[in-house]
Amino acid sequence: MMLPVRSTIAAVLTESNQPLEVAEILLPERLCFGQVLVEIHFSGVCASQLGEIAAVKGPDRFLPHLLGHEASATVLATGEGVRTVSPGDAVVLHWRKGQGIDAEPARYGLEGRTINSGSVTTFSQHAVVAENRMTAIPSDFDLRTAPLLGCALTTGFGVVNNNAGLKIGQSGVIVGVGGVGLSAVLAARLVSAYPIVAVDLESAKLEAALSMGATHAVLAGQDADVDEQVRAAVGPDGADAVIDTTGNVASAATSYSLTNPTGITVLVGVPKSGLRTEIETLPLHFGKRLTGSWGGESVPSQDIPRYVRLTQAGRLDLGAFPTEEYELQDVNRALDDLRGGAVGRRLIRMAP
């Protein structure tokens, strides 16, 4: 199918460790099997993009390419084989696979160069996305808060429900309360965990965590006795679940030590390639657990409709999530603010 839109404005990563280039790029001439053309309204900015820009997993073989993996959008056109969405549908774009076709990534053009993309990209006013990277939402759902359902919220909720398995009255510690960490705080509150302890280097983030359901806050730092303060809240044996979103290997070791002998440590943040840490493995033979998380093992096509229902019923207030908006032209400022420890989610508004 020929596309009704031929060009769009996008933020392009042309070189690792350099600012993104905001430019007009050409869209593909037609949609391939399983592809969907969307108009993007709001895109979230995630620490994953900081890692991509910094090439933390090694040299970037796909430069130049587009970025972004959580957004709200409207479907403009669908390629052959698409059955789960139709033109006019409001959708959440997400990086975890959902229902539908896992279509090949689209390729764009800029001044004679090919601009690569993944199955989903969101730092542009329009994008060609695989069908299984989007989930339809009600037409009246708030498009400004909907991007949270594409990564931060589904990851944080999935970590609490699927990885940690937090139960009523169990103690939870969330180390690092950025977007995913704050979502984990919300989820821990929803399952009636107690106490819920937030740990972070930034006092403003801890204030946000307390406003969203944390019962205790621990300011980490060079002179802080995090171990003593956490155990004072959860008990001398440690917490039932410790969720570490930082990607810092030293923090991961601390989180493991703060977990009680039959509890679980969930590592959500991804460290730079090659970094190592040491832990005592003997407790793993007697009931202690240590696991990683891949997006909270969330299933967007199942989870997003559930969270939409919670929001519509007034049980989940996404509007309370700290958010700062930027224009697409200011995407690099949004990334810099995220690097600097800004509270909550950075949100790119695509329409002028």
Side-chain angles (χ1 to χ4, degrees):
M1 173 182 178
M2 298 294 291
L3 295 190
V5 179
R6 288 297 300 122
S7 67
T8 194
I9 306 299
V12 184
L13 178 62
T14 58
E15 185 178 351
S16 297
N17 292 296
Q18 295 298 319
L20 304 186
E21 178 184 347
V22 179
E24 184 175 9
I25 63 172
L26 294 176
L27 277 74
E29 290 186 358
R30 61 181 64 247
L31 292 175
C32 297
F33 185 80
Q35 290 180 338
V36 181
L37 173 67
V38 297
E39 179 181 10
I40 296 175
H41 304 293
F42 294 93
S43 171
V45 180
C46 176
S48 295
Q49 278 88 62
L50 300 184
E52 286 184 84
I53 293 168
V56 297
K57 296 181 180 179
D60 193 332
R61 301 181 293 111
F62 300 102
L63 293 173
H65 63 80
L66 303 183
L67 295 169
H69 63 223
E70 55 179 332
S72 59
T74 298
V75 174
L76 297 183
T78 58
E80 184 181 356
V82 174
R83 297 290 182 268
T84 65
V85 295
S86 301
D89 284 352
V91 294
V92 170
L93 304 185
H94 43 76
W95 65 274
R96 294 278 296 175
K97 293 182 180 180
Q99 288 184 325
I101 299 166
D102 191 15
E104 65 180 81
R107 289 181 175 82
Y108 303 79
L110 174 61
E111 298 175 349
R113 294 177 293 168
T114 296
I115 306 298
N116 297 306
S117 71
S119 297
V120 57
T121 57
T122 63
F123 285 9
S124 56
Q125 293 177 349
H126 302 83
V128 175
V129 179
E131 180 189 16
N132 70 345
R133 296 319 205 278
M134 63 185 66
T135 298
I137 57 175
S139 59
D140 60 349
F141 197 82
D142 182 7
L143 295 177
R144 185 178 182 273
T145 59
L148 290 168
L149 302 175
C151 177
L153 196 92
T154 44
T155 297
F157 276 39
V159 168
V160 168
N161 281 312
N162 303 327
N163 299 127
L166 259 181
K167 295 179 174 58
I168 295 171
Q170 285 189 317
S171 55
V173 177
I174 295 93
V175 182
V177 282
V180 171
L182 287 176
S183 297
V185 167
L186 277 175
R189 185 189 69 183
L190 280 172
V191 301
S192 296
Y194 184 85
I196 303 168
V197 183
V199 182
D200 204 281
L201 293 167
E202 304 287 341
S203 58
K205 290 183 178 180
L206 293 175
E207 291 173 8
L210 288 169
S211 72
M212 297 174 74
T215 60
H216 298 73
V218 174
L219 183 63
Q222 188 173 5
D223 299 324
D225 192 338
V226 172
D227 187 280
E228 180 181 350
Q229 293 183 69
V230 170
R231 291 182 194 277
V234 303
D237 289 337
D240 294 308
V242 181
I243 295 165
D244 193 312
T245 72
T246 67
N248 181 291
V249 293
S251 177
T254 299
S255 295
Y256 178 74
S257 72
L258 289 171
T259 305
N260 73 37
T262 57
I264 184 169
T265 309
V266 184
L267 305 181
V268 185
V270 179
K272 291 184 179 181
S273 178
L275 294 182
R276 300 287 187 271
T277 192
E278 292 185 2
I279 62 168
E280 182 185 0
T281 61
L282 183 62
L284 297 174
H285 298 275
F286 299 98
K288 194 167 185 172
R289 291 164 291 157
L290 172 66
T291 185
S293 177
W294 190 36
E297 278 57 53
S298 65
V299 181
S301 52
Q302 297 175 13
D303 295 338
I304 289 175
R306 295 209 310 259
Y307 304 152
V308 166
R309 289 196 297 272
L310 278 175
T311 303
Q312 293 176 323
R315 299 291 302 278
L316 176 61
D317 183 10
L318 296 182
F321 208 99
T323 303
E324 182 73 24
E325 280 189 28
Y326 304 77
E327 302 290 343
L328 180 55
Q329 294 289 340
D330 297 323
V331 62
N332 289 302
R333 181 164 62 87
L335 292 164
D336 286 341
D337 288 350
L338 184 59
R339 290 187 187 97
V343 178
R345 214 57 169 168
R346 309 297 92 192
L347 196 65
I348 306 298
R349 182 174 58 248
M350 292 302 164

